[in-house]
């Protein structure tokens, strides 16, 4: 087993409602040569103050928690250095996080994401096919990764650690044609 010799960022969002532009928390973890080297977590004021009861049950973030926080366009520049020179962006259920990022960037009038995404759900299915399921908490538990589930900071770190471990066993999964 060898470490992935490259750089990637793991990202996680929590949303306030069913619309993809409603990020209320975001975290990014930067990994270089198999080691976490930096991370950033921020609460975000979403564009609407009405939170979905379902979303609140999932992450326990309420409007009162974010009403005085900056909007996405104000915080995103703090995150961009974490993406410099990355080979890809990892996310657990990448289609969700990629769509949230794309919607938030579009709503803010900012350039779209061009980085490739690696889905750690798909990676986990390849590497650990016999798990009961491949949810973040299940894979994290299997790997002994500490997790405060649905806290964007904890989820992004767990995603990064899953990618680190999975790529030791399936390094070809990070190849450009596999993402």
């Amino acid at each position: 087993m060898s470490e992935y010799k490259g750089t990637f960022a793991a990202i996680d969002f929590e949303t306030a409602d069913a619309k993809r532009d409603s990020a209320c928390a975001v975290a990014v973890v930067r990994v270089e040569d198999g080691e976490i080297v930096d991370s950033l977590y921020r609460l975000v004021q979403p564009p609407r103050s009405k939170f979905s009861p379902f979303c609140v049950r999932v992450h326990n973030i309420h409007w009162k928690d974010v009403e005085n926080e900056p909007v996405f366009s104000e915080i995103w520049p703090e995150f961009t250095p974490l993406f410099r020179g990355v080979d890809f962006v990892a996310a657990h259920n990448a289609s969700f996080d990629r769509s949230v990022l794309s919607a938030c960037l579009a709503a803010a009038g900012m350039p779209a994401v061009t980085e490739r995404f690696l889905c750690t759900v798909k990676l986990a299915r390849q590497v650990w096919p016999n798990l009961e399921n491949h949810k973040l908490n299940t894979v994290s538990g299997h790997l002994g990764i500490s997790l405060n589930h649905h806290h964007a900071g904890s989820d992004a770190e767990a995603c990064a650690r899953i990618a680190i471990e999975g790529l030791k066993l399936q390094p070809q999964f990070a190849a450009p044609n596999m993402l």
Side-chain angles (χ1 to χ4, degrees):
M1 289 195 304
S2 64
E3 299 289 333
Y4 176 75
K5 295 296 181 196
T7 302
F8 68 90
I11 192 168
D12 188 77
F13 283 98
E14 300 300 331
T15 56
D17 59 40
K19 294 186 178 176
R20 294 296 192 241
D21 68 343
S22 70
C24 59
V26 59
V28 174
V29 173
R30 183 177 173 90
V31 176
E32 296 176 3
D33 296 333
E35 298 291 328
I36 292 175
V37 297
D38 202 356
S39 65
L40 182 60
Y41 165 80
R42 289 295 303 264
L43 290 173
V44 182
Q45 184 186 110
R48 294 166 294 283
S49 62
K50 183 166 174 39
F51 277 46
S52 154
F54 172 79
C55 292
V56 171
R57 277 193 305 277
V58 169
H59 53 56
N60 200 33
I61 299 171
H62 300 81
W63 174 252
K64 67 179 173 37
D65 300 318
V66 298
E67 66 182 325
N68 296 313
E69 295 295 331
V71 297
F72 184 83
S73 63
E74 294 170 332
I75 63 107
W76 190 246
E78 298 173 33
F79 286 86
T80 56
L82 297 173
F83 292 93
R84 285 201 185 105
V86 298
D87 302 322
F88 58 85
V89 177
H92 207 74
N93 189 9
S95 62
F96 172 78
D97 293 286
R98 179 182 219 160
S99 68
V100 172
L101 179 56
S102 294
C104 289
L105 288 167
M110 300 173 100
V113 173
T114 58
E115 288 85 7
R116 298 175 303 130
F117 270 69
L118 178 145
C119 181
T120 54
V121 172
K122 292 177 182 176
L123 176 61
R125 286 181 182 142
Q126 283 273 331
V127 178
W128 304 287
N130 296 325
L131 295 179
E132 173 186 347
N133 61 56
H134 296 88
K135 295 177 181 176
L136 187 63
N137 57 334
T138 303
V139 180
S140 294
H142 174 73
L143 295 173
I145 297 168
S146 177
L147 179 67
N148 178 9
H149 202 17
H150 299 298
H151 179 284
S154 183
D155 288 0
E157 182 176 335
C159 174
R161 294 188 184 284
I162 289 167
I164 290 166
E165 293 305 313
L167 291 172
K168 285 179 184 176
L169 301 169
Q170 295 277 333
Q172 72 278 9
F173 201 85
N177 62 335
M178 294 295 290
L179 299 178

